[in-house]
Amino acid sequence: RDQEEPVEITINNQKSQILFRIKAKEPKKDVEIVSQLIQGTYPDYHQLIPDSHNTQATIDVARFLQAVRSASVFARDGSGIVRLMIVPEGKSSKGTIQISARAEEIGDNEGSIEASVQGEEAKIAFNSKYLMDVFSALEDDQVLMEVGTPSSPGVFKPVGDGNWTQVVMPMFVQW
């Protein structure tokens, strides 16, 4: 982003390597990056993204990230597992996502955030590090989370941005 020098790009005749070269203003500060083309066909990642879900929640990114960070302290002793219970909106209540983690020697951590939830009540567990990685990278205020069963991947999409999808595999836990 703050790069002012032009980037020189060179591709070899066989189209199997690419070279990126940045000429720096200072001597001996030039940067060169070479990348090798991998032979074969890139896997069809669309097959990994579930095309159906039972529960859909619109989540405030900052609140969810804060709750997951708190739970992650307790989750360290338990393989990083954070449990989510997604409760849909009722006639007298708003939808919620309950976030919990357990540490044998320290105790339990439970938090809850409001969310717009449609569909069925759902339980799913994720590695807290993966959730924090996804939510830390987001620049949007809200994200759409879609889940099916406790053993199917969770799909995360920023609200209003149809070009970005993140899939996180669940952890298998006893509820």
Side-chain angles (χ1 to χ4, degrees):
R1 293 182 179 173
D2 53 356
Q3 175 69 33
E4 293 180 14
E5 293 82 13
V7 177
E8 179 184 321
I9 301 173
T10 307
I11 300 173
N12 70 350
N13 291 335
Q14 296 81 20
K15 296 187 179 176
S16 61
Q17 288 184 327
I18 188 166
L19 167 70
F20 300 94
R21 180 179 293 132
I22 302 169
K23 298 226 180 217
K25 293 178 182 176
E26 299 176 33
K28 298 186 180 182
K29 295 282 183 172
D30 291 357
V31 176
E32 289 186 357
I33 300 172
V34 178
S35 181
Q36 179 77 33
L37 179 66
I38 298 173
Q39 297 298 318
T41 305
Y42 193 77
D44 183 10
Y45 64 89
H46 287 61
Q47 294 177 348
L48 302 175
I49 302 172
D51 55 1
S52 65
H53 58 272
N54 298 331
T55 308
Q56 186 178 55
T58 303
I59 303 168
D60 180 274
V61 171
R63 288 185 182 156
F64 186 77
L65 183 57
Q66 181 180 6
V68 171
R69 280 188 178 138
S70 296
S72 72
V73 173
F74 291 79
R76 287 183 197 144
D77 292 343
S79 301
I81 295 172
V82 172
R83 291 172 169 83
L84 305 181
M85 182 172 336
I86 307 160
V87 181
E89 300 170 6
K91 290 184 179 181
S92 61
S93 66
K94 294 184 177 182
T96 60
I97 298 178
Q98 298 166 4
I99 301 127
S100 63
R102 184 176 304 137
E104 294 299 325
E105 295 181 17
I106 301 171
D108 297 338
N109 175 274
E110 294 183 9
S112 180
I113 64 167
E114 288 185 0
S116 174
V117 180
Q118 288 81 39
E120 303 171 8
E121 182 173 299
K123 293 180 180 180
I124 193 163
F126 294 107
N127 183 301
S128 61
K129 181 180 177 345
Y130 299 153
L131 287 179
M132 289 188 298
D133 287 348
V134 168
F135 280 79
S136 294
L138 286 169
E139 295 177 0
D140 301 85
D141 294 333
Q142 293 187 319
V143 70
L144 190 66
M145 176 174 65
E146 298 173 344
V147 297
T149 66
S151 59
S152 56
V155 178
F156 299 88
K157 303 174 186 175
V159 173
D161 182 4
N163 295 326
W164 187 91
T165 300
Q166 189 77 25
V167 177
V168 180
M169 295 303 293
M171 303 285 288
F172 296 100
V173 298
Q174 295 293 324
W175 290 90

